[in-house]
Amino acid sequence: MRADLVIRGGRVFTAEPSHPFVDAVAVSGGRIAAVGADAVVMAGRGTNVIDLGGTLATPGFIDAHVHPASSGLDKLRCHFDDAVDAESALETIAAYGAANPSLPWIIGAGWPQSWFVKGCPSKELLDRVVPDRPALITNSDGHGAWANSRAFEVAGIDPDTPDPADGRIERLADGAPQGTLHEGAIRLVERHAPEDTVDDVLAGLVRGQEELLGYGITGWQDAIVDPKLQEAYVRLAGEGRLKGRVVGAMWWDRKGGMEQVDELVARREMAAPGFSPTSVKLMVDGVCENFTASMLDPYLGDDGEPTGNRGIDFIDPKELKAIVTALDERGFQCHFHAIGDRGVRNCLDAVEAARERNGPSDHRHHIAHIQVVHPDDLPRFAALDVVANAQPLWACNDDYQAELTQPFLGPTRSGWQYPFGSLLRNGARMGMGSDWGVSTANVMEEVDVAVTRTGESGQPLNPAEAMDPIDALTAFTSGSAFINHAEADSGSVTVGKLADLAVLDRDPLREGPLREARVVCTIVGGEIVYEGR
Ligand SMILES: [Zn+2]
């Protein structure tokens, strides 16, 4: 038999533990037809041959926690990929406004707080480049936004406007808005801006998919799917333009009640080839940096002494048990967001309650982020069949750690952060994801941190938790395929599986650093969907 495509001349990482590397792979009819020497002989007339020239090919990566539509939409709007400081940010906004004269609002995202005094840019600064219409531009972590005078006018915000319960308007001495909005106060302005249409979301999704394919990502779990995004996925798939293989995690509205379960059952039917909305996203706590991650023991104060604050359970733990038990019974997978050690424990307790009531299931509930995990809970992942869904890019000593996290956790709990090595040693299954747009979607940068535990500071974070590169690549391929119930068809280079592959520009396992490796070719079902240089 002759192959449609043969990849040879380097190494192919298979993600199969019994033979992690082969030297060639052959593709026929969109599936993997042979590996190793059997593959090489399948090249004939008409076969497309990719010569690796000593580089590495891998299974297509699978991102187990990502937000491609909103992050793609950010890239289509005013964004700051090419800006380096306040001045260039203003030039960027001015250019975007000039290029889009008919837009009623200037909407954008992605400025870092470090570009502005106290992280709070003024409305006058924005007025200089957008004097004529409202502008609202979110910062890079999404917890703050910058608005101009027109936006405050339209929203009716003046010195008499009270702060909302869940946010704060930055103010001048006379109480007038200064230009920056924090947390829930963003909504005061945002609700006056035109709402995203399904067409907007679809355009964002297309741009997001392009980004993911460029990093060799051929499948993912979308971590927040609302009805509009669901419609966008179904439309994209119907038009034959959805290239990735996607599981959607539908958002659980924590202000809504148990009647959501029936609604989600109905929404699950709105699927399409390549898009399965079979997971439900439950956000159980916040983040450490603003003390909203749910902790077993209190955060420390500036003096290093315990405060009374243990963070927030966004979903009451008793209620969480009932929700997870009901979802598990109706065949859903639960995709948890948990950052604090109590948040993680609440998720495990909820799955335990579901197991006691419903017996074992194959729904593959998974906890994303797993920043602080109490050592007692490490073996419970394997015992309860809960998959660890790691976002490894954060597992390094960056400014967030040194300034905003470790002083308030203290040394013991700081040492429990991102315990990927311990989870594996305790038998946990692990998948990986990026959380793009909070982080980059670049898989190899993430794998690098999983292995080195080191970011720009050069000081590793809890180096005993470092992973072997093979384990990290396995988590990002077959581990995440398991989370998505996709292992029969993807996640490894195995004869009979779909030909989803990524080709790198080097063999980073032989010539590091891992983070510098680039994807030069992405293949989905035997079709080349991305080619770079
Ligand atoms: Zn996320």
Side-chain angles (χ1 to χ4, degrees):
M1 192 171 68
R2 212 159 46 217
D4 303 322
L5 169 70
V6 168
I7 300 174
R8 66 182 186 202
R11 290 203 297 172
V12 181
F13 171 65
T14 64
E16 287 279 9
S18 62
H19 56 284
F21 296 96
V22 294
D23 54 16
V25 55
V27 175
S28 187
R31 290 191 179 259
I32 293 166
V35 297
D38 296 348
V40 177
V41 298
M42 289 179 71
R45 214 150 56 116
T47 300
N48 180 16
V49 176
I50 295 179
D51 188 346
L52 293 172
T55 68
L56 184 74
T58 71
F61 299 119
I62 300 176
D63 189 321
H65 182 114
V66 65
H67 308 280
S70 54
S71 314
L73 200 47
D74 283 349
K75 286 211 179 284
L76 294 175
R77 291 176 170 161
C78 186
H79 66 88
F80 301 94
D81 287 1
D82 299 321
V84 292
D85 55 18
E87 211 45 52
S88 54
L90 287 168
E91 282 164 23
T92 301
I93 299 165
Y96 179 80
N100 295 280
S102 62
L103 283 181
W105 280 62
I106 297 297
I107 301 288
W111 51 272
Q113 283 145 287
S114 57
W115 287 350
F116 302 97
V117 180
K118 292 188 176 159
C120 292
S122 72
K123 60 182 188 291
E124 288 78 13
L125 213 49
L126 194 47
D127 291 345
R128 261 169 41 191
V129 289
V130 190
D132 53 331
R133 49 191 155 163
L136 181 67
I137 306 179
T138 314
N139 72 9
S140 50
D141 69 15
H143 293 274
W146 179 18
N148 68 352
S149 298
R150 271 302 283 147
F152 287 114
E153 256 169 64
V154 169
I157 296 177
D158 59 27
D160 299 326
T161 309
D163 285 341
D166 59 349
R168 189 164 58 80
I169 302 165
E170 191 73 29
R171 296 174 195 269
L172 301 170
D174 64 355
Q178 171 270 353
T180 305
L181 297 158
H182 304 284
E183 303 285 352
I186 301 169
R187 278 300 295 162
L188 300 179
V189 172
E190 195 178 48
R191 66 178 183 222
H192 297 275
E195 256 191 62
D196 293 341
T197 63
V198 174
D199 286 336
D200 292 335
V201 175
L202 184 70
L205 180 57
V206 169
R207 177 66 187 85
Q209 171 172 264
E210 191 183 303
E211 184 90 356
L212 297 184
L213 294 174
Y215 288 123
I217 296 163
T218 57
W220 59 87
Q221 182 156 144
D222 193 310
I224 300 181
V225 174
D226 65 10
K228 262 186 221 168
L229 177 52
Q230 187 161 4
E231 194 180 330
Y233 270 115
V234 171
R235 261 172 59 183
L236 197 66
E239 292 165 12
R241 296 196 292 150
L242 181 63
K243 301 294 180 189
R245 309 182 196 283
V246 184
V247 168
M250 295 181 287
W251 179 250
W252 179 269
D253 176 4
R254 46 190 187 258
K255 292 185 182 114
M258 292 299 282
E259 65 277 6
Q260 284 177 83
V261 177
D262 285 334
E263 292 165 23
L264 293 168
V265 168
R267 276 179 61 195
R268 184 164 55 187
E269 301 307 312
M270 291 164 53
F275 174 72
S276 309
T278 48
S279 190
V280 176
K281 171 76 174 296
L282 297 149
M283 189 150 171
V284 310
D285 68 352
V287 294
C288 289
E289 291 84 2
N290 62 8
F291 314 120
T292 54
S294 169
M295 303 301 296
L296 292 164
D297 289 313
Y299 290 98
L300 307 181
D302 288 325
D303 56 1
E305 294 299 315
T307 63
N309 181 13
R310 290 182 158 84
I312 302 176
D313 289 324
F314 288 169
I315 303 174
D316 172 77
K318 238 173 86 187
E319 201 183 322
L320 185 66
K321 285 183 184 176
I323 294 166
V324 171
T325 301
L327 289 172
D328 179 77
E329 196 198 340
R330 304 294 286 273
F332 284 108
Q333 172 184 82
C334 295
H335 177 161
F336 300 98
H337 158 121
I339 296 268
D341 53 5
R342 194 178 71 212
V344 171
R345 181 168 292 176
N346 288 346
C347 298
L348 293 166
D349 288 348
V351 174
E352 192 172 72
R355 300 282 187 237
E356 275 166 17
R357 178 70 182 269
N358 303 336
S361 76
D362 190 34
H363 306 329
R364 306 176 186 181
H365 306 305
H366 53 111
I367 307 178
H369 309 331
I370 45 174
Q371 179 168 346
V372 187
V373 183
H374 190 283
D376 290 352
D377 289 324
L378 293 168
R380 298 181 71 202
F381 282 76
L384 292 165
D385 263 334
V386 171
V387 187
N389 182 347
Q391 281 64 62
L393 196 79
W394 308 338
C396 65
N397 265 320
D398 53 10
D399 293 348
Y400 279 88
Q401 277 294 318
E403 286 158 32
L404 301 173
T405 307
Q406 293 182 8
F408 308 103
L409 293 183
T412 305
R413 290 183 296 180
S414 293
W416 296 347
Q417 290 187 97
Y418 305 112
F420 306 150
S422 293
L423 282 163
L424 292 179
R425 288 186 287 276
N426 278 278
R429 281 182 184 273
M430 184 177 288
M432 280 187 177
S434 63
D435 208 7
W436 182 54
V438 178
S439 307
T440 173
N442 184 344
V443 173
M444 293 311 293
E445 257 184 72
E446 294 153 22
V447 166
D448 187 292
V449 181
V451 171
T452 63
R453 305 284 293 194
T454 304
E456 274 163 19
S457 78
Q459 278 297 329
L461 175 71
N462 304 333
E465 301 298 345
M467 290 174 70
D468 181 272
I470 301 292
D471 288 341
L473 287 172
T474 301
F476 240 121
T477 51
S478 75
S480 296
F482 181 82
I483 288 179
N484 272 3
H485 289 88
E487 75 279 9
D489 259 343
S490 57
S492 69
V493 177
T494 306
V495 173
K497 286 195 184 184
L498 292 162
D500 295 351
L501 299 156
V503 177
L504 305 182
D505 67 347
R506 70 195 72 192
D507 186 338
L509 301 168
R510 285 185 168 149
E511 37 163 343
L514 290 152
R515 65 172 64 232
E516 283 173 15
R518 296 280 169 269
V519 169
V520 291
C521 179
T522 306
I523 296 160
V524 172
E527 178 199 351
I528 294 176
V529 293
Y530 167 79
E531 258 182 305
R533 278 188 297 158

